[in-house]
């Protein structure tokens, strides 16, 4: 991808985000539920309600409301949360790191686990292991993240309680952090007890989000590897005495990884969406969990801020995937 | 007489996918050191199966039902895997058909050209680099440094085929199996590549099994020819004899069916149906054919 391609993509990204902003704004005004009704006490008079409406600008026309909000957003001001009375950007800034750490861990797990199993499956071609693997993988493909979450809660939280059931970290440890990237901070500052505790809390939500990704990686990558393994260049390398593992990793993998990479990008954005329900199940204090609270409270500015943040992540991930794909393929790099 | 390099004796094979249909019928042929042998036939004649058997890469759908392939006296078909993989890629190598698919698009030429040197001979990276430069010089590639650093898509088809030839001769093999190496190239490049294979073969004293369906190609490069039909040897012989005085009616018909340089304007004759009837009877095929 050339620099002008990249600029083009970034420009399109801004346009897309603007589109997302319009849609979110309109949708939230269509769905039933009144933020004011959630705030007032039963004793409030109609005059109080009207005053509150005017205070939040909800008495203005929709285009006008959108204009005010959108100009503020362009200035980097996402407004004030109605339910928490705090700056939306600040709230998102506190929660986003937790979600990013979780999603990234799930991504790494899914890709590594999927990659290893796809490689083993490719090495085991034409043995009984291969169809068995496909069958098991088929089952894994059919199970969505929230079902994994519930199954894991039962299995590793209740029947065989090895991992903590909820939260991100033991509350007594969380006060020591300077940033909200606990996992990274604990690692670079050598706080290994905190790191271990963070990992223990993360294992189950990470598995819930990562296992479906792993299953998809296995299927796509294995198919692409099988196609690459029958190419003439693999045959020639085999004749030259290359070991089966090197044949897969060095000859086939780089040519087979394209479709998997693209799909992983798409899956990762789905996974970010999946954090909403999975974080809720594990009471993990991330952005997704906050999104549900925001929706329950009809906290319009907060919902808008969160959705725009998710949108920005989706777009950035897709650009990143294209960049990696271009870097992996020598044709793109030179063409 | 000394022992031949390759002696195929009574080789028979069936296709397990095709209800046990024979793909090779009692094929015998010998190959002397340094000889270029054409394996000629239409598709399904068994020429590729013989080539694959020589390389130990028969697909799982082909089952050998009898015979031997002796390479320097040792049977490749019953040889332990380890010994076989010692021979393959060192003593027996392959020039593949399609230079588009025979080079890994994601690896630089140097890595692919030196794989065999490093894996089979245990050469250091530096020595292998020197040898690669020599090899590229041998196959007449100019600015070898640039080519070694290139990816396959940056090179032309003819260039890639030269690299594959260099790679096939890199370890001074005793036998090179050339699987229709000019089919995917255009005609002007074809001639150069044929000449190059011939020159490399003479310089290295290597025997070549040249698989092709093109008698014109055979005339240019092969010392001797084996003509196959439906897995059976129809005619063996020195190229000159076979092209000037074919004994079998099928050989005669094939020659008549191809263009001739000495008579460029003469019409091409398709192989008459009667010839196929005779072939099927000889081979033992049912009347309706394959």
């Amino acid at each position: 991808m050339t620099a002008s391609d990249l600029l083009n993509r970034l420009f399109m990204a801004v346009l897309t985000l603007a589109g997302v902003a319009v849609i979110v704004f309109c949708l939230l005004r269509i769905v039933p539920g009144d933020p004011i009704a959630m705030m007032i006490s039963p004793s409030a008079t109609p005059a109080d309600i009207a005053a509150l409406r005017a205070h939040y600008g909800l008495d203005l026309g929709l285009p006008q409301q959108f204009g005010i909000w959108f100009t503020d957003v362009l200035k980097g001001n996402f407004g004030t949360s109605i339910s928490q009375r705090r700056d939306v950007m600040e709230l998102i800034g506190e929660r986003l790191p937790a979600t990013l750490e979780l999603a990234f861990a799930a991504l790494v797990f899914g890709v590594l686990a999927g990659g290893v199993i796809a490689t083993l499956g490719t090495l085991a071609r034409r043995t009984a292991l291969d169809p068995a693997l496909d069958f098991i993988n088929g089952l894994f493909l059919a199970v969505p993240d929230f079902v994994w979450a519930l199954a894991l809660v039962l299995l590793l939280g209740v029947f065989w309680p090895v991992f903590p059931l909820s939260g991100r970290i033991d509350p007594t440890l969380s006060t020591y952090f300077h940033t909200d990237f606990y996992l990274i901070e604990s690692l670079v500052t050598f706080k290994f007890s905190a790191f271990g505790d963070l990992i223990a809390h993360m294992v189950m939500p990470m598995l819930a989000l990562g296992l479906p990704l792993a299953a998809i990686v296995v299927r796509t990558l294995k198919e692409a590897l099988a196609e690459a393994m029958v190419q003439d260049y693999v045959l020639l390398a085999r004749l030259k005495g290359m070991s089966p593992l090197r044949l897969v990793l060095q000859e086939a993998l780089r040519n087979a990884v394209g479709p998997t990479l693209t799909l992983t990008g798409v899956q990762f954005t789905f996974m970010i969406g999946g954090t909403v329900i999975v974080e809720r199940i594990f009471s993990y204090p991330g952005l997704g969990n906050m999104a549900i609270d925001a929706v329950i409270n009809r906290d319009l500015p907060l919902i808008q801020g969160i959705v725009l943040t998710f949108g920005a992540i989706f777009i950035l991930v897709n650009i990143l995937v294209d960049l990696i794909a271009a870097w992996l393929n020598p044709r793109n790099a030179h063409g | 007489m000394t022992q031949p390099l390759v002696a195929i004796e009574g080789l028979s094979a069936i296709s397990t996918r095709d209800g046990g249909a024979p793909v090779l019928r009692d094929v015998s042929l010998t190959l002397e050191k340094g000889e270029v042998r054409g394996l000629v036939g239409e598709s399904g004649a068994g020429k590729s199966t013989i080539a694959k058997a020589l390389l130990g890469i028969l697909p799982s759908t082909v089952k050998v039902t009898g015979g031997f392939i002796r390479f320097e006296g040792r049977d490749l078909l019953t040889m332990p895997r380890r010994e076989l993989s010692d021979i393959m890629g060192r003593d027996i190598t392959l020039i593949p058909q399609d230079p588009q698919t025979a080079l890994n698009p994601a690896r630089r030429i140097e890595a692919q050209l030196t794989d065999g040197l490093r894996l089979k001979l245990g050469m250091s990276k530096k020595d292998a680099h020197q040898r690669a430069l020599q090899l590229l010089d041998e196959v007449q590639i100019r600015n070898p440094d640039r080519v070694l650093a290139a990816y396959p898509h940056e090179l032309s088809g003819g260039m890639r085929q030269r690299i594959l030839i260099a790679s096939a001769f890199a370890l001074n093999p005793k036998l090179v199996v050339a699987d229709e190496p000019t089919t995917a190239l255009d005609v002007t490049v074809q001639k150069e590549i044929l000449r190059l294979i011939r020159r490399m073969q003479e310089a290295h004293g290597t025997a070549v099994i040249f698989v092709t369906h093109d008698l014109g190609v055979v005339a240019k490069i092969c010392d001797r020819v084996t003509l196959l039909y439906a897995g059976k040897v129809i005619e063996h012989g020195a190229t000159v004899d076979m092209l000037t005085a074919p004994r079998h009616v099928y050989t005669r018909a094939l020659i008549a069916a191809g263009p001739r340089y000495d008579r460029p304007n003469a019409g091409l004759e398709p192989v008459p149906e009667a010839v196929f009837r005779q072939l099927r009877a000889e081979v033992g095929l049912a009347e309706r054919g394959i």
Side-chain angles (χ1 to χ4, degrees):
Chain A
M1 208 189 300
T2 63
S4 76
D5 282 343
L6 191 64
L7 274 179
N8 203 9
R9 289 294 300 268
L10 288 174
F11 177 68
M12 289 305 292
V14 172
L15 275 190
T16 312
L17 273 180
V20 171
V22 175
I23 292 170
V24 171
F25 191 87
C26 296
L27 272 182
L28 285 177
R29 267 61 185 182
I30 292 167
V31 293
D34 182 358
I36 301 299
M38 307 297 295
M39 296 169 71
I40 49 166
S41 64
S43 60
T45 64
D48 294 337
I49 296 176
L52 212 51
R53 275 194 179 284
H55 175 72
Y56 283 106
L58 293 171
D59 55 341
L60 300 170
L62 275 190
Q64 226 177 330
Q65 284 187 36
F66 181 77
I68 294 170
W69 175 67
F70 197 67
T71 355
D72 279 350
V73 164
L74 288 180
K75 289 183 207 150
N77 175 12
F78 286 72
T80 308
S81 157
I82 295 176
S83 62
Q84 307 204 35
R85 318 269 158 110
R86 286 180 56 199
D87 184 58
V88 166
M89 268 317 258
E90 217 176 282
L91 285 168
I92 291 175
E94 280 171 19
R95 294 296 195 98
L96 183 60
T99 296
L100 285 181
E101 284 188 348
L102 174 61
F104 193 70
L107 173 73
V108 170
F109 167 79
V111 169
L112 281 185
V116 168
I117 293 168
T119 304
L120 289 178
T122 307
L123 288 172
R125 271 170 314 152
R126 293 192 290 265
T127 69
L129 185 63
D130 189 27
L133 216 99
D134 284 345
F135 179 74
I136 296 170
N137 196 49
L139 293 179
F140 272 62
L141 274 171
V143 180
D145 48 14
F146 61 90
V147 175
W148 276 120
L150 294 172
L152 286 165
V153 164
L154 272 180
L155 205 67
L156 300 179
V158 179
F159 290 138
W160 186 41
V162 275
F163 296 115
L165 258 178
S166 71
R168 187 182 181 197
I169 188 166
D170 194 301
T172 55
L173 290 164
S174 60
T175 48
Y176 295 105
F177 290 102
H178 303 289
T179 69
D180 291 300
F181 287 95
Y182 291 180
L183 197 66
I184 299 170
E185 189 183 334
S186 66
L187 195 63
V188 296
T189 55
F190 307 112
K191 290 179 185 159
F192 291 120
S193 65
F195 183 74
D197 188 62
L198 283 162
I199 292 286
H201 278 86
M202 200 182 263
V203 167
M204 287 202 285
M206 179 195 76
L207 286 176
L209 291 168
L211 282 171
L213 175 67
I216 286 168
V217 168
V218 169
R219 194 182 58 177
T220 352
L221 188 58
K222 212 164 142 273
E223 224 168 79
L225 279 173
E227 221 171 89
M229 287 301 281
V230 299
Q231 297 295 316
D232 283 351
Y233 55 80
V234 177
L235 169 68
L236 278 175
R238 196 170 78 208
L239 284 175
K240 288 172 190 165
M242 202 176 272
S243 70
L245 185 63
R246 262 188 81 188
L247 282 179
V248 177
L249 296 183
Q250 183 178 309
E251 294 294 318
L253 187 60
R254 203 161 159 183
N255 294 304
V257 84
T260 310
L261 187 72
T262 313
L263 202 69
T264 303
V266 176
Q267 266 332 102
F268 184 71
T269 56
F270 284 145
M271 202 168 75
I272 297 269
T275 59
V276 174
I277 185 88
V278 170
E279 283 181 359
R280 193 66 170 186
I281 292 172
F282 291 102
S283 308
Y284 187 87
L287 198 57
N289 209 343
M290 189 164 74
I292 293 185
D293 287 330
V295 170
I296 291 172
N297 294 323
R298 300 289 180 269
D299 193 338
L300 300 181
L302 189 54
I303 300 174
Q304 286 161 183
I306 292 173
V307 171
L308 272 185
T309 308
F310 277 149
I313 295 175
F314 282 25
I315 292 166
L316 283 178
V317 166
N318 277 309
I319 293 178
L320 201 68
V321 164
D322 286 349
L323 282 175
I324 297 174
W327 172 70
L328 276 176
N329 187 345
R331 270 165 210 272
N332 293 348
H334 293 259
Chain B
M1 201 172 131
T2 54
Q3 182 188 49
L5 182 69
V6 179
I8 297 175
E9 292 162 30
L11 189 64
S12 296
I14 57 168
S15 160
T16 53
R17 192 184 284 162
D18 217 2
V23 288
L24 292 179
R25 302 163 199 259
D26 196 24
V27 170
S28 296
L29 65 91
T30 58
L31 187 74
E32 302 300 331
K33 292 191 177 73
E35 167 188 351
V36 180
R37 164 69 60 98
L39 279 189
V40 187
E42 48 195 84
S43 42
K47 53 193 196 304
S48 284
T49 309
I50 296 174
K52 289 196 176 99
L54 278 166
L55 291 159
I57 51 168
L58 278 176
S60 53
T61 52
V62 172
K63 194 166 162 269
V64 173
T65 52
F68 311 93
I69 303 177
R70 295 195 206 283
F71 179 78
E72 300 188 308
R74 298 193 298 162
D75 183 16
L76 294 178
L77 294 173
T78 53
M79 190 179 280
R81 250 190 122 73
R82 259 200 113 85
E83 288 173 44
L84 193 68
S85 61
D86 273 350
I87 291 180
M88 295 309 159
R90 184 212 292 267
D91 294 332
I92 306 180
T93 62
L94 168 69
I95 302 174
Q97 172 167 10
D98 187 354
Q100 301 286 8
T101 59
L103 286 168
N104 188 336
R107 295 180 72 207
R108 292 180 195 277
I109 297 299
E110 171 153 10
Q112 307 194 50
L113 185 54
T114 55
D115 269 342
L117 298 167
R118 304 202 61 198
L119 290 165
K120 290 278 176 183
L121 303 184
M123 264 192 198
S124 73
K125 207 168 176 164
K126 217 175 132 197
D127 292 347
H129 178 77
Q130 287 308 318
R131 179 87 180 100
L133 289 175
Q134 267 175 32
L135 282 164
L136 289 190
D137 183 54
E138 260 192 88
V139 295
Q140 295 165 328
I141 285 179
R142 278 179 290 276
N143 46 39
D145 283 306
R146 192 188 68 79
V147 170
L148 284 184
Y151 284 100
H153 73 271
E154 298 169 280
L155 306 172
S156 69
M159 196 86 127
R160 276 184 282 220
Q161 194 57 290
R162 280 169 194 274
I163 286 157
L164 288 163
I165 291 168
S167 177
F169 284 95
L171 281 75
N172 293 314
K174 292 166 179 157
L175 172 65
V176 166
V177 177
D179 182 14
E180 310 214 23
T182 56
T183 311
L185 302 171
D186 56 76
V187 190
T188 45
V189 185
Q190 263 189 25
K191 263 195 196 165
E192 291 169 30
I193 293 295
L194 286 177
R195 231 177 281 144
L196 179 64
I197 294 176
R198 184 81 216 194
R199 197 158 32 81
M200 292 293 278
Q201 172 268 329
E202 280 167 3
H204 291 255
T206 308
V208 174
I209 290 265
F210 202 102
V211 176
T212 182
H213 57 262
D214 187 342
L215 282 175
V217 168
V218 166
K220 287 196 199 80
I221 189 168
C222 298
D223 302 314
R224 291 204 288 163
V225 191
T226 298
L227 176 64
L228 295 147
Y229 181 82
K232 193 175 169 65
V233 174
I234 301 298
E235 188 169 347
H236 273 305
T239 307
V240 193
D241 299 342
M242 198 151 138
L243 291 182
T244 51
R247 276 165 304 180
H248 198 279
V249 56
Y250 178 50
T251 320
R252 269 199 293 276
L254 276 183
I255 292 168
R260 296 255 312 246
Y261 290 99
D262 51 346
R263 284 188 322 211
N265 296 322
L268 305 182
E269 300 271 332
V271 177
E273 188 52 37
V275 173
F276 284 118
R277 264 201 297 278
Q278 185 189 334
L279 274 170
R280 285 191 209 113
E282 274 180 41
V283 173
L285 281 176
E287 183 55 32
R288 62 187 176 84
I290 321 169

